[in-house]
Amino acid sequence: MSVFPQLSMKSEVREHLCNVYTRKEVVSELDKDEVFEALLSCLSHPPLFTCLRASTHLHPLQETQHRLERHLEQQKRAPAVYTHPQLPDVLLLPVHGPRHVDLLAAEVIVGAQCGNAVLRGAHVFTPGILGTPKYMKVGDMVSVFSDVEGKCTRGAKEFKGKKVFLGNGVSEVDRSELFCSDGPVKGVAIRMTEPLYQSPSFDGVLTDEVFLQNLPSVVVGHVLGPRPGERILDMCAAPGGKTTHIASLMGNQGTVVALDKIRSKMEKIIQNAKMLKLDCIKAYCCNSIHAVSSDPAQENSADAPCSGLGQRPNMTYSWSLKEVCSYQPLQRKLLTTAVRLLKRGGVLVYSTCTVTLAENEEQVAWVLKTFPCLTLEPQVPHLGSEGMQGAGLSCDQRRLLQRFRPELVWRGARFAHSPENFLQNANTDTIGFFIAKFIKNGKKFTQA
Ligand SMILES: C[S@@+](CC[C@H](N)C(=O)[O-])C[C@H]1O[C@@H](n2cnc3c(N)ncnc32)[C@H](O)[C@@H]1O
């Protein structure tokens, strides 16, 4: 059973994706339509766990775990904070939902992005609000809905379009403060008191000790395996989730060069590095495709810009097929530079948060053909599934890849947490994600 509509997308994108997921060789032992339908359903729901990466370069994991438990107790929440046996810097918090919540007469409409954040435990911040009741005042109890199709106009007093219920909250602002000509007030506008999915809010909590990061993203840092004193290049770094993880794994010793082509995003890397007390990070605003260096890196992370189809929760995907397909050539340019800027014997980790074949397994097949100096390496830890068929990779090659496929375990939204399946759920009910690890051997690199 599902409480939300399946992820909706343009028919051309749906057909493109459906072709990948219903190919005979891809779904030999599974029911093809079921897997694709499960994918679209699970993507519109949040994962079963909130994953926090602890700053183990600053504090032992158990200390942070205890501080988080105390924080949850103060919030009158069950202090359930779990460690992960294979990820020594991860803390997992179960997400409970969907719960039964009664609808109220007063409706607040928020944008889809804001709605997705609410489903992952956030309160509603002022910029996310599109519509409120005409006379909404501080202290009013309201039901919050996501405008999943982007049809609600800002300042609306009612909305009849397609909306999805996210839970109830209490208003901390008057309507007049939200849509006034001087620009809206900042901060929390609706404090969620009865969210459909209950997951603690970490806004301003233990800010130098924990970083909200999806589990497969944390796996990337461990697969890269940086050591203190090394020189690492992070080519697509903002907001710095992986950069700060790499620097933390290095014990803040060595250099992590973090590049992002958007200046405001690059500044976010600097902010995050400062907050987590990591001064071995050097961030630059740069188009990585044109990056040059006289000192090649020992390890490169290319967490490529991608079509983002693995993100959860997401109820509407508005991109055209042309936009989705535009990422493959861009990623190839980034990979070409990544290979050039890597030392012999160095490691390259390529990752995306999307589910297409074109941006994942097909890229691996292209890399292996184009750069004979690169070979696939086993990944540790390997928590996801193997790579998908359909891109011409051998079984052995696919086994070296790591694809997080929540659709393979999706049994509907009311699947309860059970202690026996705790680890399996944490490792599988994740966002859709892909990781490939290459090593550069001695052969001279020549581009085909
Ligand atoms: C998937 S996000 C990276 C997330 C990041 N690695 C993290 O873990 O927090 C991709 C990033 O690549 C950046 N980007 C896109 N094209 C780029 C290019 N040509 N050069 C450098 N950065 C680029 C985008 O601005 C975006 O911030």
Side-chain angles (χ1 to χ4, degrees):
M1 190 180 74
S2 195
V3 284
F4 298 142
Q6 285 188 336
L7 170 66
S8 74
M9 53 184 72
K10 290 197 161 63
S11 55
E12 55 185 22
V13 177
R14 189 185 158 105
E15 205 176 313
H16 174 76
L17 207 56
C18 184
N19 285 339
V20 172
Y21 276 80
T22 56
R23 272 190 225 185
K24 203 160 98 293
E25 72 270 32
V26 176
V27 285
S28 43
E29 75 285 18
L30 303 158
D31 182 318
K32 57 186 183 181
D33 293 328
E34 258 180 34
V35 173
F36 184 59
E37 296 297 315
L39 175 74
L40 299 183
S41 294
C42 74
L43 289 176
S44 63
H45 293 79
L48 275 171
F49 288 89
T50 295
C51 178
L52 296 173
R53 174 170 55 80
S55 298
T56 46
H57 62 289
L58 297 176
H59 311 276
L61 184 72
Q62 277 67 27
E63 279 184 16
T64 303
Q65 184 184 16
H66 292 148
R67 273 193 280 276
L68 269 178
E69 286 168 346
R70 279 206 296 277
H71 166 74
L72 291 173
E73 273 166 357
Q74 279 160 11
Q75 286 196 335
K76 309 233 174 327
R77 294 275 172 85
V81 181
Y82 300 99
T83 54
H84 188 295
Q86 285 133 299
L87 298 169
D89 44 11
V90 153
L91 293 172
L92 294 164
L93 290 89
V95 171
H96 295 284
R99 307 175 317 144
H100 175 80
V101 180
D102 289 326
L103 278 175
L104 304 171
E107 294 186 359
V108 164
I109 311 294
V110 301
Q113 236 184 321
C114 171
N116 295 341
V118 169
L119 288 175
R120 294 202 77 167
H123 296 295
V124 176
F125 283 74
T126 313
I129 295 200
L130 297 173
T132 73
K134 194 170 175 185
Y135 299 110
M136 187 177 81
K137 292 267 178 275
V138 173
D140 285 357
M141 290 298 301
V142 294
S143 283
V144 178
F145 293 84
S146 178
D147 166 25
V148 285
E149 290 182 334
K151 299 266 169 73
C152 181
T153 47
R154 207 175 151 69
K157 296 183 182 108
E158 61 170 4
F159 178 59
K160 297 275 181 231
K162 187 172 168 184
K163 59 193 174 193
V164 170
F165 181 49
L166 308 174
N168 294 337
V170 56
S171 177
E172 298 205 344
V173 288
D174 293 345
R175 178 184 162 96
S176 58
E177 295 172 73
L178 286 169
F179 306 115
C180 58
S181 53
D182 306 344
V185 288
K186 292 201 173 116
V188 173
I190 310 292
R191 190 161 295 278
M192 296 302 294
T193 48
E194 292 179 287
L196 207 65
Y197 276 90
Q198 192 157 39
S199 160
S201 162
F202 288 101
D203 190 40
V205 176
L206 302 180
T207 48
D208 69 340
E209 284 196 53
V210 288
F211 194 91
L212 208 51
Q213 195 169 16
N214 285 300
L215 184 135
S217 270
V218 183
V219 171
V220 171
H222 290 285
V223 166
L224 192 71
R227 283 164 298 211
E230 286 186 331
R231 182 180 161 77
I232 316 286
L233 175 62
D234 189 350
M235 297 181 71
C236 305
K242 293 182 193 65
T243 310
T244 52
H245 188 204
I246 292 166
S248 172
L249 290 171
M250 290 161 66
N252 199 23
Q253 289 168 50
T255 309
V256 187
V257 177
L259 309 180
D260 204 281
K261 73 169 187 184
I262 298 174
R263 181 161 297 278
S264 57
K265 288 189 166 191
M266 186 276 288
E267 281 158 6
K268 193 75 195 152
I269 305 174
I270 298 176
Q271 268 177 32
N272 281 329
K274 207 168 159 190
M275 193 168 66
L276 298 171
K277 304 189 175 72
L278 290 161
D279 53 22
C280 73
I281 294 170
K282 309 283 173 248
Y284 302 95
C285 179
C286 163
N287 182 341
S288 294
I289 291 170
H290 307 303
V292 284
S293 169
S294 54
D295 186 9
Q298 278 143 326
E299 279 150 33
N300 280 1
S301 167
D303 185 35
C306 68
S307 56
L309 272 157
Q311 291 293 355
R312 293 176 64 189
N314 187 14
M315 288 179 227
T316 308
Y317 187 83
S318 59
W319 292 9
S320 66
L321 185 58
K322 195 173 163 198
E323 286 170 293
V324 170
C325 294
S326 69
Y327 283 92
Q328 195 190 57
L330 170 64
Q331 292 157 351
R332 289 187 179 181
K333 287 182 189 159
L334 284 162
L335 281 163
T336 302
T337 308
V339 178
R340 180 164 49 76
L341 297 180
L342 186 64
K343 268 194 168 67
R344 283 181 182 187
V347 166
L348 166 64
V349 173
Y350 171 78
S351 51
T352 74
C353 61
T354 198
V355 300
T356 66
L357 206 59
E359 296 167 81
N360 297 324
E361 289 82 356
E362 281 184 16
Q363 297 296 51
V364 172
W366 175 83
V367 164
L368 295 174
K369 184 164 146 264
T370 312
F371 306 109
C373 60
L374 290 192
T375 44
L376 280 172
E377 273 286 287
Q379 301 184 31
V380 181
H382 196 292
L383 310 179
S385 303
E386 62 186 33
M388 276 172 68
Q389 295 190 46
L393 296 170
S394 68
C395 277
D396 287 345
Q397 288 170 328
R398 287 190 293 106
R399 263 185 225 123
L400 292 171
L401 304 175
Q402 189 157 201
R403 200 191 240 265
F404 287 85
R405 300 191 59 183
E407 72 277 11
L408 297 182
V409 292
W410 179 250
R411 267 156 285 171
R414 286 192 194 274
F415 180 58
H417 282 283
S418 65
E420 314 85 69
N421 296 337
F422 157 76
L423 197 58
Q424 199 207 343
N425 292 340
N427 290 344
T428 50
D429 194 69
T430 62
I431 61 166
F433 204 86
F434 180 83
I435 311 173
K437 178 178 184 177
F438 303 93
I439 193 154
K440 184 173 174 179
N441 61 28
K443 280 188 232 160
K444 194 164 165 32
F445 152 52
T446 45
Q447 205 197 330

